[in-house]
Amino acid sequence: MKRRYSFRGLIVGFLLGTIVTAGVMTFVNNRGQKDSKPEMENEAGKKTEEKPSIQITVSEQKDTDKKKSENKTKALDPSKLKCFPKAFSADGNVELKESPSQSSKTVATIASFECLNRIGESSDWVNVKVDETGATGYIHKSLIINDERQYIMTHKVNSKDGFANVRAGASKDSKALIALSTGTEIVVFPGFEKGSWLYAGYRGAQKFEYGYIHKSIVQKK
């Protein structure tokens, strides 16, 4: 006996087959995408997805730049100038000798106002250790400043107004600490300037003082 198939039954069967096929294809595609992701084993032996390393690189670069900035700020801290003893030379450089003799080998050349640690003395020479680099050697006594009273005045005030203000900061709006008369001798510390403002030291009424003075009203002695 022949089986009879209704038109409605054929339509229902076709639709069911289409739905099953689409479901199978979706499952296969999702599984394939998951398996295609790069994996790596962590220290515990568990598999984890590999992450790009550029985030670490950027983070390390920021940390390095921050550290450089902090070191630069620290190096130019004016309070460093109040340490003693220190080296000084009119030309800005002081030779650190291997032994207590002018003909001795130069171990290093250091900048004026560099902080030192006294180790000992030998005749007219002082055995020192450079605070910043750790280098050791001898410097002639004439190039050693033991306290602020020995500071050599390198510049003088030269203002048409007859005086110049020394300020707490490098700005005309900063607090005026004192007005120095034209001709007053001061010591200017190279490397500590800010723009057009010089960092200088002067002898106050009772102690040595520090502040900023505009370079337009200062001249070398």
Side-chain angles (χ1 to χ4, degrees):
M1 184 175 71
K2 292 184 178 181
R3 293 182 180 180
R4 294 181 178 180
Y5 297 94
S6 67
F7 181 77
R8 181 181 296 176
L10 290 173
I11 294 298
V12 172
F14 176 78
L15 291 176
L16 287 174
T18 302
I19 292 173
V20 171
T21 302
V24 171
M25 292 303 295
T26 300
F27 174 79
V28 171
N29 288 337
N30 289 342
R31 184 61 183 268
Q33 290 177 359
K34 181 178 180 181
D35 292 341
S36 65
K37 292 181 180 179
E39 293 183 345
M40 58 182 292
E41 289 191 357
N42 58 20
E43 293 178 354
K46 296 180 180 179
K47 290 187 176 181
T48 178
E49 292 182 11
E50 185 177 9
K51 296 181 179 180
S53 61
I54 189 168
Q55 292 181 355
I56 298 177
T57 304
V58 172
S59 177
E60 290 177 348
Q61 183 63 42
K62 288 182 178 179
D63 290 342
T64 301
D65 292 343
K66 181 179 180 182
K67 186 173 293 185
K68 287 181 179 180
S69 178
E70 289 175 349
N71 290 339
K72 182 179 179 180
T73 301
K74 183 178 179 181
L76 299 180
D77 183 2
S79 63
K80 171 184 173 183
L81 297 171
K82 299 180 182 180
C83 64
F84 295 97
K86 63 172 76 264
F88 175 81
S89 175
D91 64 7
N93 296 309
V94 176
E95 291 185 344
L96 187 66
K97 296 291 186 177
E98 187 176 45
S99 58
S101 170
Q102 190 61 42
S103 59
S104 176
K105 177 183 177 182
T106 299
V107 177
T109 300
I110 61 178
S112 286
F113 309 114
E114 189 68 61
C115 298
L116 307 172
N117 291 294
R118 187 187 298 270
I119 299 175
E121 293 187 20
S122 178
S123 185
D124 291 331
W125 295 80
V126 182
N127 189 12
V128 299
K129 179 179 180 180
V130 182
D131 188 48
E132 183 136 348
T133 64
T136 59
Y138 291 84
I139 295 177
H140 196 271
K141 280 184 177 181
S142 63
L143 302 178
I144 296 288
I145 297 177
N146 294 298
D147 56 47
E148 290 170 326
R149 293 172 299 177
Q150 288 185 290
Y151 265 140
I152 300 175
M153 302 294 104
T154 58
H155 294 66
K156 65 180 181 179
V157 176
N158 182 31
S159 173
K160 296 179 179 180
D161 296 328
F163 71 93
N165 286 317
V166 178
R167 299 186 179 275
S171 167
K172 65 178 181 179
D173 298 323
S174 186
K175 179 183 177 182
L177 302 175
I178 192 174
L180 298 179
S181 303
T182 294
T184 301
E185 297 180 337
I186 60 176
V187 55
V188 168
F189 302 103
F192 293 83
E193 64 273 4
K194 291 184 177 181
S196 298
W197 294 82
L198 305 174
Y199 193 71
Y202 58 95
R203 293 188 174 94
Q206 298 180 353
K207 62 178 182 178
F208 206 85
E209 304 285 356
Y210 300 83
Y212 290 91
I213 187 169
H214 200 274
K215 66 180 183 181
S216 64
I217 49 178
V218 170
Q219 71 175 39
K220 285 187 177 182
K221 288 179 58 180

